[in-house]
Amino acid sequence: MSENTLTPPRELPRHLAIIMDGNGRWAASRDRPRHAGHRAGVKIARDVVEAAADAGIEVLTLFAFSSENWQRPPEEVNSLMRLFVEVLQREVDALHENGIQLRFIGDRTHLPTILQKRMSDAEARTAGNQRMILVIAIAYGGRWDVLQSMQRLATKIRDGDLDPESLDESVLDRHLALAGLPDPDLLIRTGGEFRVSNFLLWNLAYTEIFFTPTLWPDFSRQDLGAALEFFAGRGRRFGLTGAQLEVIAD
Ligand code: IPE
Ligand code: IPE
Ligand code: MG
C-alpha cells in the first residue's frame, strides 16, 4: 500500500468486512507458489488494519479461511495454518500497542492446538482495547454460524432456559459469532468474483457490497479509499421509500 494518508469521507462504515480473495492468482501470475500469494496477502492485511483504524472504523472483519477452504490440497491448508500461527506470534504485540482488540470467529475445533492457543491468548490479551475491534474469520462459514446458533438455542429450549415463544431475530442474532457487534455496513470483495462464498450470511442482509477486480495482494490504500467513497455515496433505505427516509432525516 502507498503511504498516502486516507481522507475519511463523510459517511464512514462503522463495520467494514472484507473477503480477501485473489492471493493464488496473484502468485500464479508471477510464477510463484500459492503460498507466496498468501504471504503477500498478510502484508496487505496488516496495512489495511492500520488504515482502517486511522480512518475511524470501529469494527473490521477479515475473512481469512472459510469452512470450505479445508477441502484445498493438504499442503496449502497446512501452510496456511503455519502462516496464521506465525503471523499471530509476530503481530499481536504491535496490535496490542495500537489499541486493537482481536476476536476470532469460526469453528475452532479442527484448527491445530497451537493455533487455538495463540488465538485465545491474543483475545485475552487485547480484550480491553478500544480503538478498533479486529475480527478474523478462520474456519468460518455463514451456514456453520447459523447452525451453531440454532444448536445452542435448541439446547436452551430443551433445558427450559428459553421459551420458544420468545425466539425472535434479536435472540438469534445474539447467538451468532458476531454477537454484540453491529452488522457490517460495507463488504469489500477483492479478486473479481461477484459472490459471498458463505461469509456472514445472516449479518449481510443490508450490507452495501463493493466488488473490485484487484487481487488482494495488490489492494492499496487508494482502493480502500475508493470503497469508502462508494459507501458514502449509497442511499441506504432498509426497505423504506426515499420519501420516508427524508421525513425521518428532518
Ligand atoms: C484468498 O485467496 C485466501 C484464501 C481463501 C485462504 P485465494 O487463495 O482464494 O486466491 P485465488 O482465488 O485462488 O486467486
Ligand atoms: C473466499 O474465497 C474465502 C476467503 C477469502 C477466505 P474463496 O477463494 O474460498 O471463494 P470461492 O471458492 O472463489 O467462492
Ligand atoms: Mg479464491
Side-chain angles (χ1 to χ4, degrees):
M1 291 195 23
S2 86
E3 295 307 309
N4 295 0
T5 46
L6 187 74
T7 319
R10 313 156 304 276
E11 275 292 324
L12 199 65
R14 286 183 68 195
H15 184 169
L16 168 64
I18 308 183
I19 300 177
M20 309 182 290
D21 195 23
N23 296 348
R25 281 164 282 164
W26 182 90
S29 72
R30 285 164 176 74
D31 283 325
R32 294 170 68 189
R34 293 180 61 82
H35 189 63
H38 296 314
R39 287 197 164 270
V42 167
K43 274 196 198 156
I44 301 303
R46 189 220 257 150
D47 290 348
V48 166
V49 169
E50 270 175 32
D54 287 348
I57 302 266
E58 290 173 42
V59 185
L60 174 65
T61 297
L62 300 178
F63 201 7
F65 189 85
S66 75
S67 357
E68 289 71 29
N69 290 151
W70 284 118
Q71 295 160 49
R72 290 192 178 191
E75 315 82 74
E76 179 166 352
V77 172
N78 292 338
S79 76
L80 277 166
M81 294 301 143
R82 280 197 300 273
L83 185 62
F84 295 146
V85 172
E86 182 194 314
V87 169
L88 282 184
Q89 163 90 5
R90 203 178 57 215
E91 301 292 338
V92 172
D93 282 349
L95 289 168
H96 185 49
E97 274 155 31
N98 287 328
I100 310 288
Q101 185 186 131
L102 256 172
R103 293 194 200 176
F104 296 92
I105 56 171
D107 179 1
R108 303 185 191 198
T109 47
H110 303 293
L111 294 174
T113 319
I114 172 79
L115 179 56
Q116 293 187 33
K117 168 105 176 60
R118 290 268 156 83
M119 287 159 62
S120 50
D121 287 352
E123 285 177 322
R125 179 141 179 244
T126 63
N129 294 342
Q130 300 289 343
R131 186 160 163 243
M132 186 178 79
I133 297 174
L134 171 60
V135 181
I136 304 185
I138 297 186
Y140 179 87
R143 288 181 174 176
W144 164 83
D145 198 358
V146 173
L147 188 63
Q148 65 79 25
S149 152
M150 295 309 299
Q151 281 168 338
R152 285 161 60 212
L153 289 165
T155 304
K156 286 188 182 175
I157 290 170
R158 183 198 62 197
D159 296 346
D161 296 331
L162 179 72
D163 174 5
E165 300 288 318
S166 68
L167 184 55
D168 61 12
E169 287 189 11
S170 71
V171 173
L172 200 153
D173 200 83
R174 283 199 296 280
H175 289 77
L176 290 168
L178 286 182
L181 299 178
D183 284 338
D185 302 290
L186 174 64
L187 170 70
I188 298 174
R189 182 173 186 142
T190 64
E193 309 295 354
F194 297 88
R195 57 180 173 250
V196 171
S197 298
N198 198 16
F199 199 24
L200 302 156
L201 299 179
W202 172 278
N203 313 78
L204 293 178
Y206 268 103
T207 302
E208 303 294 331
I209 309 187
F210 182 82
F211 294 105
T212 169
T214 303
L215 302 174
W216 177 248
D218 290 327
F219 194 77
S220 67
R221 219 165 251 249
Q222 280 76 13
D223 294 313
L224 180 60
L228 295 180
E229 277 301 330
F230 160 87
F231 178 76
R234 296 292 93 201
R236 303 183 82 192
R237 284 188 290 280
F238 301 98
L240 304 186
T241 66
Q244 282 177 302
L245 287 171
E246 275 169 33
V247 172
I248 294 169
D250 285 343

